[in-house]
């Protein structure tokens, strides 16, 4: 049995307190102490502290946060901008939304520290529009922070002037890509930019800009407050610290589990009560739909950047979507592919056209009207998208196809043999009876 | 509404402006929004939310207003507004009901919920009930996978939904009763929601504090760590507050299923909207 002490709630530590979204509750738990410590340091020291902590970006790519800050050129005479990517939309990903809903001040404190470090006087939180409860809490927290002197002119007497604008998006997955986000924030269609130049050199309004994920920025105040050694006491050498793992799907207790990097799914499942009664795990994603899927062979893979990478996938957003044996992998992959087709911004031909054809092929395969040759075509099209577009959306579209064919090729074939999907869709629902599912009913239409 | 080539017809004439008193009011709001940004054009997305708050959808009138405020052309504004899915291109209901049918919610029952709502309401994807109350749409992942399957109403969370709870929910909405989100504040209309999205905080007393810090799934890890987790599954069917009060409706009822893009603003009674056509999905999206 996995010990509950394995868990390390830091960002989620106050979520069970009275109104944790308020400034009062946040401050009672030591909130804004990290900011005071940061403001007593030189900005370069703050950047060095975050570098020393080894904090890596929690939005998917895992790039060292302090290094990103260090790329912002100093004394260049241009305004600098901090932009928080709160556009959480990767299928399966559900960590930043509960974080901002329960504890928006930890993000705001992080924004102020990061802005001080990179010498930014205007920061933005770009939050996806489809989460009004979060927007409401952010509006309120920013208002509280201005009133308390954490934002505005001469923050806490430090000489730092900082404006913070909460900006709601309008529904576009692609805006989670950092350069598309910047175009969107400039009032344009959200389409990725060719790099270089990178945002650190020419970002928002062609000025040096740092784009960081919500959880990355929210992890900064505890680091400043409790120190680098404390942070590095969790996780591994190359992936230090704590993070939010989000379990969803066919688990007994889905939800947010904050744990040191490097925990395994077996340990997390143990805490979550396991896969739902009477069923077993079939496939899962380590970090959202864009990360190649895993199976029950991978339960002991350390869920850190290196461990997941070595096993052939990516840690991504730590969105652990659990699917049991009642789920048809072809149906799952088709639905994700429809998503990528819908969300492709249309800028790059391989992605725009490729995701269209992938959807056509998979639709035919799911109906049982495909051929074995279609599987080769599917891989060929996926290969022609992967790495051949400006941004990673196309790569994400290829991942579920390539990985599902690697592990479940027979299931694709079973669709031809059966003349359709052999699974009963009713068996996978949250309200399905707990008795082992009957398969082969062919009820899916 | 198309030419032989299947292309949308160009507008016969420029969209009429807002009436002077409406424009004067919106200009004050627009200037406040623009003032939040170092460069004016950054205000475009919020301004589109603002004109949607005014009229319920983005009309030619709204587009011209945004263009005028930002020194852009109507074509530039249209190009942006049509890129983003949250901007409506025709009039819809007071309550936007979104059912997540991305993979995880779909297999957990989102497909069944969406199908049962279509059947129950007698409408298809992106269509509106004849009383102008509910617009139904299947949506993509809304970052609440630990509460799957998820239904959103005016972008507030109705977690752990079932076909039954979803049907009761839309029945309550259509009966003018309060429906209380599992996470979020008591519902306001689609237009009021759009105003919050434009960056104007929800000023209803207590709204910020409604909905708690999160449901069982948000808190499960913390509670296990603290030794306060009860041993039952976190996934519980939420109990909704009994519907009692009437929702104040300030938006006029709107017929559904106008062809998009509709060209007529409510502010322009001289140019009524085209007649309600057969209920079809204009954007070519397929129901899953």
């Amino acid at each position: 049995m996995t010990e509950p002490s394995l868990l390390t709630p830091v960002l989620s530590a106050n979520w069970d307190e009275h109104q944790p979204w308020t400034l009062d509750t946040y401050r009672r738990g030591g909130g804004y102490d990290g900011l005071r410590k940061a403001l007593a340091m030189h900005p370069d020291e703050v950047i060095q502290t975050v570098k020393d902590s080894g904090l890596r970006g929690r939005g998917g790519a895992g790039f060292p946060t302090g290094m990103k800050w260090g790329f912002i050129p100093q004394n260049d005479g241009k305004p600098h901008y901090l932009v928080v990517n709160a556009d959480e939309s990767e299928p399966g990903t559900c960590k930043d939304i509960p974080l901002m809903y329960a504890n928006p001040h930890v993000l705001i404190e992080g924004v102020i520290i990061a802005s001080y470090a990179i010498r930014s006087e205007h920061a933005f939180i770009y939050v996806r529009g489809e989460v009004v409860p979060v927007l409401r809490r952010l509006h309120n927290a920013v208002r509280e922070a201005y009133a308390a002197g954490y934002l505005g002119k001469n923050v806490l007497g430090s000489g730092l002037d900082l404006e913070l604008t909460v900006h709601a998006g309008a529904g576009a997955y692609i805006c989670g890509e950092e350069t598309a986000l910047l175009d969107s924030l400039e009032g344009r269609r959200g389409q990725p930019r060719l790099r270089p130049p990178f945002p650190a050199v020419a970002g928002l309004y062609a000025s040096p800009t740092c784009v960081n994920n919500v959880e990355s920025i929210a992890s900064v105040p505890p680091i400043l407050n409790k120190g680098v050694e404390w942070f590095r006491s969790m996780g591994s050498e190359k992936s230090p610290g704590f993070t939010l793992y989000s379990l969803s799907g066919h688990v007994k207790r889905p939800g947010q589990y904050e744990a040191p990097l490097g925990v395994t799914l077996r340990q997390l499942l143990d805490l979550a009560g396991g896969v739902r009664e009477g069923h077993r795990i079939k496939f899962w994603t380590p970090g959202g739909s864009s990360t190649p899927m895993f199976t029950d062979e991978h339960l002991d893979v350390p869920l850190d950047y290196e461990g997941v990478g070595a096993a052939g996938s990516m840690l991504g957003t730590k969105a652990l979507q659990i699917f049991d044996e009642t789920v048809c992998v072809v149906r799952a992959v088709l639905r994700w592919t429809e998503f990528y087709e819908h969300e492709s911004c249309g800028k790059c031909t391989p992605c725009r056209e490729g995701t269209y054809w992938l959807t056509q092929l998979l639709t035919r395969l799911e109906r049982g009207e495909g051929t074995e040759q279609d599987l080769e075509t599917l891989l060929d099209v996926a290969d022609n998208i992967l790495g051949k577009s400006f941004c990673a959306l196309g790569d994400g579209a290829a991942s579920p196809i390539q990985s599902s064919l690697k592990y479940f090729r027979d299931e694709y074939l079973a669709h031809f043999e059966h003349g359709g999907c052999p699974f009963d869709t009713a068996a996978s629902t949250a309200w399905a009876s707990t008795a082992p599912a009957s398969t082969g009913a062919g009820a899916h239409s | 509404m198309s030419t032989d080539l299947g292309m949308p017809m160009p507008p016969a004439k420029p969209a009429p402006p807002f009436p002077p008193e409406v424009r004067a009011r919106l200009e004050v709001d627009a200037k406040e929004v623009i003032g939040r940004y170092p460069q004016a054009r950054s205000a475009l997305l919020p301004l589109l939310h603002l004109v949607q708050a005014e009229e319920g959808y983005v009309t030619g009138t709204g587009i011209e207003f945004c263009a005028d405020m930002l020194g852009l052309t109507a074509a530039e504004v249209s190009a942006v507004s049509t890129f983003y899915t949250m901007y409506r291109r025709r009039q819809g209901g007071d309550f936007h009901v979104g059912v997540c049918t991305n993979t995880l919610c779909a297999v957990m029952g989102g497909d069944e919920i969406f199908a049962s709502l279509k059947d129950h309401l007698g409408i298809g994807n992106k269509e509106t009930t004849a009383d102008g109350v509910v617009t139904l749409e299947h949506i993509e992942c809304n970052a609440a996978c630990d509460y799957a399957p998820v239904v959103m109403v005016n972008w507030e969370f109705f977690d752990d939904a079932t076909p039954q709870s979803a049907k009761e929910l839309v029945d309550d909405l259509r009966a003018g009763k309060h429906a209380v989100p599992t996470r979020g504040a008591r519902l306001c209309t689609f237009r009021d929601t759009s105003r919050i999205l434009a960056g104007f905080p929800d000023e209803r007393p207590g709204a910020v504090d409604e909905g708690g810090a999160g449901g069982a799934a948000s808190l499960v890890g913390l509670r296990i760590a603290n030794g306060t987790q009860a041993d039952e599954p976190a996934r519980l069917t939420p109990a909704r507050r009994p519907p009692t009060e009437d929702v104040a409706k300030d938006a006029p009822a709107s017929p559904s299923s106008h062809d998009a893009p509709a060209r007529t603003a409510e502010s322009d009674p001289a140019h009524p909207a085209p007649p309600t056509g057969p209920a079809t999905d204009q954007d070519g999206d397929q129901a899953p």
Side-chain angles (χ1 to χ4, degrees), chain A residues 45-97:
Chain A
E45 280 181 80
V46 177
I47 294 177
Q48 192 59 45
T49 303
V50 175
K51 279 184 183 170
D52 291 344
S53 76
L55 173 66
R56 297 175 64 173
R58 303 294 195 236
F63 194 82
T65 303
M67 200 182 290
K68 211 173 195 182
W69 294 5
F71 287 156
I72 300 291
Q74 295 302 333
N75 304 310
D76 56 344
K78 289 183 182 173
H80 299 169
Y81 297 105
L82 176 76
V83 179
V84 175
N85 184 344
D87 193 54
E88 181 164 74
S89 307
E90 166 78 9
T93 307
C94 51
K95 63 189 180 68
D96 296 337
I97 296 306

Side-chain angles (χ1 to χ4, degrees), chain B:
Chain B
M1 283 292 167
S2 63
T3 64
D4 291 339
L5 295 173
M7 302 292 286
M9 296 261 284
K13 53 185 171 180
F18 285 118
E21 65 279 9
V22 174
R23 182 177 169 103
R25 173 166 50 78
L26 289 179
E27 263 192 34
V28 174
D29 288 341
K31 283 175 183 161
E32 185 185 331
V33 172
I34 293 166
R36 295 178 200 142
Y37 299 92
Q39 293 189 11
R41 183 165 178 163
S42 283
L44 180 51
L45 265 63
L47 288 189
L48 285 164
H49 285 303
L50 181 71
V51 295
Q52 182 152 274
E54 183 65 26
E55 300 193 277
Y57 67 119
V58 177
T59 65
T61 299
I63 284 171
E64 292 281 1
F65 174 79
C66 292
D68 198 28
M69 294 306 297
L70 299 175
L72 300 171
T73 65
E76 287 171 315
V77 174
S78 296
V80 173
S81 74
T82 54
F83 184 84
Y84 297 93
T85 54
M86 289 176 75
Y87 299 128
R88 287 178 171 174
R89 299 168 73 175
R90 51 186 161 161
Q91 192 58 272
D94 290 338
F95 298 98
H96 174 270
V97 175
V99 181
C100 178
T101 57
N102 202 303
T103 299
L104 190 115
C105 273
V107 305
M108 298 298 287
D111 278 356
E112 199 174 318
I113 292 171
F114 186 62
S116 68
L117 283 184
K118 281 196 294 188
D119 181 56
H120 186 68
L121 296 170
I123 56 175
N125 187 41
K126 293 192 183 180
E127 292 175 1
T128 303
T129 51
D131 57 9
V133 176
V134 170
T135 298
L136 180 65
E137 187 179 11
H138 71 82
I139 59 173
E140 297 299 354
C141 184
N142 221 90
C145 316
D146 47 347
Y147 295 98
V150 172
V151 171
M152 307 293 297
V153 181
N154 289 350
W155 308 114
E156 314 270 350
F157 292 97
F158 288 78
D159 300 312
D160 296 313
T162 66
Q164 190 56 35
S165 75
K167 282 188 275 191
E168 287 168 11
L169 171 60
V170 295
D171 286 348
D172 286 353
L173 296 174
R174 298 184 76 189
K177 294 173 181 170
H178 260 313
V180 180
T182 48
R183 288 180 293 156
R186 80 206 100 112
L187 295 178
C188 47
T189 63
F190 182 80
R191 290 181 178 201
D192 292 339
T193 303
S194 295
R195 189 172 170 83
I196 300 171
L197 286 160
F200 294 96
D202 188 343
E203 303 292 0
R204 294 176 297 165
V208 169
D209 298 329
E210 289 174 22
S218 299
L219 297 165
V220 63
L222 174 65
R223 286 175 176 169
I224 289 172
N226 289 346
T228 54
Q229 168 69 33
D231 203 30
E232 75 271 20
R235 196 198 304 286
L236 295 172
T237 303
R240 286 191 290 118
R241 202 175 298 169
T244 46
E245 301 165 70
D246 287 335
V247 180
K249 285 199 275 182
D250 51 7
S254 325
S256 66
S257 304
H258 291 196
D259 281 352
R263 306 199 189 93
T264 308
E266 279 177 30
S267 53
D268 179 32
H271 296 88
T276 303
T280 52
D281 179 0
Q282 301 299 330
D283 297 332
D285 281 9
Q286 290 172 345

